[in-house]
Amino acid sequence: MSGTEHVNRTALTTMTADVDKLEVVPGFAHEAIEGWVPTLASDEDLRSALEKAFDYRGDITITRRDGSKVEGYLFDRRTGTTLADSAVRILPKDSNDKLTIPYSEIAALAFTGRDTAAGKSWEAWMKKYWEKKAAGETGIALEPEALE
């Protein structure tokens, strides 16, 4: 075995061991923010709330300073040094457009949509699957819930 083959085999063994460790690592607690309307008293409050909105797997509603509202899925954010050069990108619920909204235009934020991942876990899905399999069911598959 050449030196390169030995290094690659050692790296693969180490990588496999690390992956095996990941298989038993517990998940993290999911923060329940569905329905939350954060107070945006400071720039930091706004930035923090928008970070949570970016990680949220449901729709949010942004109220702009001019009073207009946009409801949809926040899929991107770009943070700059000021609110004016920071922006979120949102897919509106009622449109196929992608809107860019500067942080400086945001007056209010609400987590209005259902968090589609709340309370779900891979372990719960696997448990259902194995229960069906143990009961002798055939043609079983893990089906996601309907979005609505």
Side-chain angles (χ1 to χ4, degrees), residues 137-141:
E137 290 185 42
T138 59
I140 55 176

Side-chain angles (χ1 to χ4, degrees), residues 50 54 73-78 87-90 99 103:
L50 289 171
F54 176 70
Y73 182 75
L74 192 155
F75 70 94
D76 188 20
R77 85 284 193 223
R78 298 191 177 135
V88 293
R89 295 178 63 206
I90 189 168
L99 298 179
Y103 285 21

Side-chain angles (χ1 to χ4, degrees), residues 56-69:
Y56 189 62
R57 287 145 303 197
D59 285 347
I60 62 163
T61 299
I62 291 177
T63 303
R64 293 180 177 152
R65 296 203 180 277
D66 66 5
S68 64
K69 293 186 178 191

Side-chain angles (χ1 to χ4, degrees), residues 47-125:
R47 288 180 185 276
S48 176
L50 289 171
E51 281 301 310
K52 290 178 190 280
F54 176 70
D55 292 334
Y56 189 62
R57 287 145 303 197
D59 285 347
I60 62 163
T61 299
I62 291 177
T63 303
R64 293 180 177 152
R65 296 203 180 277
D66 66 5
S68 64
K69 293 186 178 191
V70 178
E71 182 178 7
Y73 182 75
L74 192 155
F75 70 94
D76 188 20
R77 85 284 193 223
R78 298 191 177 135
T79 56
T81 54
T82 66
L83 295 185
D85 65 356
S86 300
V88 293
R89 295 178 63 206
I90 189 168
L91 294 168
K93 190 174 189 175
D94 58 356
S95 166
N96 290 329
D97 296 334
K98 295 177 184 175
L99 298 179
T100 299
I101 303 172
Y103 285 21
S104 59
E105 289 183 17
I106 299 172
L109 174 66
F111 293 78
T112 51
R114 180 175 156 252
D115 185 348
T116 58
K120 307 291 185 251
S121 71
W122 176 249
E123 292 81 13
W125 280 39

Side-chain angles (χ1 to χ4, degrees), residues 1-10:
M1 172 181 323
S2 73
T4 304
E5 289 173 6
H6 176 72
V7 169
N8 289 342
R9 186 175 297 216
T10 302

